[in-house]
Amino acid sequence: MKPSKIFPACSRRLRFSLLAIFGGIAFISRAANPFITSIYTADPSAHVWADGRLYVYASHDMDPARGCDLMDRYHVFSTDDMANWRDEGEILRASQVPWGRKEGGFMWAPDCAYRNGTYYFYFPHPSETRWNDSWKIGVATSTNPASDFKVQGYIEGLGGFAMIDPAVFMDDDGQAYMYFGGGSRCAGAKLKANMTEIDGTVQPMAGLEDFHEATWVFKRNGIYFLTYADNHPQNNRMRYATSTNALGPWSYKGVYLQPTDCDTTHGSVVRFRGQWYQFYHNCSISGQGNLRSVCVDKLDFNDDGTIKTIVQTKDGPPAIKPARTEKIDPVKYAAGSAVTANGAQVEDDDAAAGGKSVRQLHLENASAQFNQVGSGHGGRATVTIHYATADNAKLELFVNGEDYSLLNTPATGGWDAYTGQANLTVPLGARNTNTVRFVGGHGGVNIDYFTVTPLD
Ligand code: FUB
C-alpha cells in the first residue's frame, strides 16, 4: 500500500475485523444505514433538484482497495422518500478525463451544482503520475442530474497541492461559491456565472479549528455553516463553523458528528421536505477503512441555532411519506438460461424460484453468462441479482465485457435461502444485444435469477 503524504487518513494501515452480516438490498429497499450496500461508496454530496428527488453524488471505493488510490469512478443515487434508494448508475470514470493521470484512480470526493438548465459535476483528480502535487478540480456537465456527463476541463489557476474535496454552494441571490482543500488548508472563492472559472481571488477560510478536509457549506436563516473533517487521531470527526458571510471569517462552533467506525469522515448537509439531514460514510459493512458505505441520519438544530450532535443510527431516518410503488417493469432472466464456465453449473434446485440455480460459483473464475439480455432502446438499467449463500461473498459483474466491479452478496442464512438481492445500474445497448456475466471466486453464491429494470 502506497503511503500518503498529505492524507494519512486515506492510507492508514487497514484495520481488519469481522464482516458485519447485513441483509441484502433490492432495487426498492427499506431505509437502513448504510443505505447503499451492493458496492462500496464514500464522500456523499447530497442535493435536492427540481424534479423533487434527493440525489447523492458519491465516490466509489474499489474492492479490493489500495488506500484510496484505486477509486476511479462515481455513482449517483437518488430517493424521493428517504427510504427507497435508486442507483442512477455510473456517471464518470478516470479513463474519461482527457487531462487525467494516465494510471487513473484517485477520483475522490465530488460535488454537483445546478444553474440555468445545466448540472455541473466537480471532481478532484490528479493530472500526473505524481498525484500528490498535481490535483485539479475537474468539471463535467450534463442537462440531466445523473447521466450523460461530459468532461469540459478543469478550474484554472488553483495550484495542485492538496486540492481535493470541492464543494459548491449556490446562494439565494444566484452567486455560486466553490470551497476545497485537504492537508489542513481550506480555501474558497466566488465562481463566475459560467460555473467553470474563479471570480476574483481564492481566499483561505479563516477561523476553522483543526481543519483536515471534506468541506461543505449550507445556509440556514441567513447564517452560513461550513462543515469539515478534523484530524482526530484514528477516526476523524465532523466539526463546523458559522459566518454571516459566505467566505468567512468563520466562527468555530464545535464537533457535531462523532467518529464513525471509519478513519476518514466526510459529509454533506441538505434540507429535504422540511427536515435537515446529515450524509456521511462509515465502514460497518467491510470493517476496512477504505471500503466505506454511505449513511444518512437526521440533523437537528438547538433553539440557539447550533447543530445538535448527530445520532448515528442503523435504521436511518424514517420515510417521509409512505413508500411509493416504483414504476417498474423488470425483465427476469432465470438461472436455467446461463452459459456456465470454469466449474460453475446449472443444477436442479427446489428452493430456487425457477427450479434451477447456478452453483459452484465459489471456484476461481467460475462464471455464469447470460446472452441476449435487454429490450427496448437501451440506456441505463438496474441489474438485480437474486441469490442464496451461507457466505459473506461477492460476485464480479461484467456487462458487455466491461468490468462493473464486485457486488457484495452477503450471507442470507443458508444455501437454500433465496432472499438475497444486490443491484447495480449499468448502461445497456438497444434490444437484446447485451451479455451479463457474473464471475465468482469470492465465496460461494447460488444464483436463482436476475432482473433488468430500465431507468431511462
Ligand atoms: O475518498 C477519498 C478521500 O477520503 C476524500 O476526498 C476525503 O475527504 C476522504 O473522505
Side-chain angles (χ1 to χ4, degrees):
M1 189 168 55
K2 205 188 300 184
S4 163
K5 294 181 211 154
I6 57 169
F7 311 117
C10 243
S11 57
R12 280 180 192 137
R13 192 176 165 75
L14 299 182
R15 300 184 315 278
F16 293 92
S17 64
L18 284 177
L19 278 174
I21 294 178
F22 57 98
I25 71 162
F27 175 45
I28 293 179
S29 60
R30 291 297 309 158
N33 274 327
F35 64 88
I36 301 299
T37 57
S38 293
I39 58 172
Y40 293 109
T41 51
D43 310 324
S45 288
H47 291 278
V48 179
W49 299 135
D51 64 359
R53 294 184 73 82
L54 185 154
Y55 289 82
V56 172
Y57 298 78
S59 6
H60 181 7
D61 283 344
M62 300 305 288
D63 183 12
R66 194 181 73 218
C68 293
D69 302 11
L70 304 180
M71 301 168 64
D72 77 340
R73 59 193 75 171
Y74 298 107
H75 266 250
V76 181
F77 307 90
S78 75
T79 184
D80 67 350
D81 63 2
M82 299 304 291
N84 299 299
W85 287 92
R86 173 198 291 169
D87 176 8
E88 297 277 346
E90 182 185 313
I91 58 162
L92 188 66
R93 58 171 63 189
S95 59
Q96 296 165 338
V97 183
W99 46 264
R101 73 197 288 272
K102 63 179 185 306
E103 300 87 350
F106 294 95
M107 298 289 264
W108 285 10
D111 194 14
C112 192
Y114 173 80
R115 185 186 197 100
N116 291 344
T118 300
Y119 294 87
Y120 295 84
F121 181 69
Y122 300 92
F123 58 98
H125 185 59
S127 57
E128 309 291 340
T129 302
R130 290 180 60 244
W131 59 272
N132 208 24
D133 299 321
S134 66
W135 288 98
K136 296 188 188 314
I137 292 177
V139 190
T141 60
S142 173
T143 52
N144 299 314
S147 63
D148 307 319
F149 279 90
K150 298 272 178 317
V151 175
Q152 302 301 336
Y154 56 85
I155 311 269
E156 303 265 2
L158 294 183
F161 179 74
M163 209 169 49
I164 61 166
D165 297 0
V168 172
F169 168 68
M170 185 68 75
D171 211 341
D172 312 326
D173 61 1
Q175 175 64 56
Y177 297 86
M178 167 169 281
Y179 307 83
F180 58 90
S184 301
R185 183 179 142 239
C186 181
K190 282 185 178 176
L191 279 177
K192 289 185 181 173
N194 64 17
M195 300 293 278
T196 58
E197 286 179 280
I198 298 292
D199 189 358
T201 54
V202 175
Q203 302 173 31
M205 293 297 96
L208 310 180
E209 287 188 13
D210 197 27
F211 175 84
H212 179 44
E213 58 189 11
T215 312
W216 182 262
V217 170
F218 67 96
K219 191 177 183 182
R220 177 179 181 263
N221 296 341
I223 303 293
Y224 300 87
F225 289 70
L226 188 156
T227 66
Y228 60 97
D230 71 8
N231 293 290
H232 187 256
Q234 305 306 322
N235 298 73
N236 301 156
R237 304 172 299 191
M238 294 294 296
R239 301 186 182 215
Y240 78 105
T242 61
S243 178
T244 52
N245 186 317
L247 293 176
W250 299 91
S251 170
Y252 174 67
K253 293 296 177 187
V255 173
Y256 76 101
L257 181 73
Q258 291 296 334
T260 65
D261 53 0
C262 213
D263 46 9
T264 62
T265 193
H266 192 119
S268 60
V269 177
V270 71
R271 189 165 188 246
F272 187 40
R273 303 208 190 133
Q275 173 64 50
W276 291 89
Y277 295 96
Q278 174 72 41
F279 285 81
Y280 58 100
H281 61 231
N282 71 20
C283 301
S284 63
I285 295 176
S286 72
Q288 289 185 226
N290 299 108
L291 292 177
R292 300 164 291 182
S293 302
V294 289
C295 300
V296 60
D297 275 303
K298 283 165 69 173
L299 179 146
D300 291 311
F301 294 87
N302 295 304
D303 290 344
D304 64 1
T306 54
I307 302 177
K308 292 183 177 176
T309 300
I310 303 293
V311 179
Q312 299 176 35
T313 72
K314 284 198 180 344
D315 295 337
I320 54 176
K321 68 173 187 180
R324 69 185 176 136
T325 308
E326 288 270 4
K327 185 179 166 297
I328 301 177
D329 193 13
V331 180
K332 193 168 169 178
Y333 298 86
S337 60
V339 179
T340 53
N342 300 328
Q345 286 180 29
V346 175
E347 296 178 8
D348 291 338
D349 186 340
D350 288 344
K356 290 184 186 300
S357 62
V358 179
R359 291 184 166 240
Q360 315 306 331
L361 281 167
H362 64 286
L363 298 171
E364 198 171 347
N365 290 325
S367 66
Q369 177 162 317
F370 296 81
N371 299 318
Q372 298 185 313
V373 173
S375 59
H377 55 71
R380 293 176 305 161
T382 301
V383 173
T384 303
I385 180 167
H386 294 248
Y387 67 89
T389 176
D391 294 343
N392 281 316
K394 303 173 196 224
L395 280 177
E396 192 104 26
L397 170 66
F398 291 81
V399 178
N400 297 327
E402 186 78 48
D403 181 356
Y404 283 97
S405 71
L406 284 170
L407 297 192
N408 291 321
T409 50
T412 58
W415 299 107
D416 293 339
Y418 282 97
T419 54
Q421 297 180 33
N423 74 73
L424 200 74
T425 296
V426 296
L428 290 186
R431 301 178 306 281
N432 64 345
T433 56
N434 305 278
T435 59
V436 171
R437 187 156 57 102
F438 299 100
V439 179
H442 309 276
V445 187
N446 295 343
I447 298 176
D448 185 349
Y449 63 95
F450 72 96
T451 60
V452 172
T453 308
L455 241 62
D456 290 326

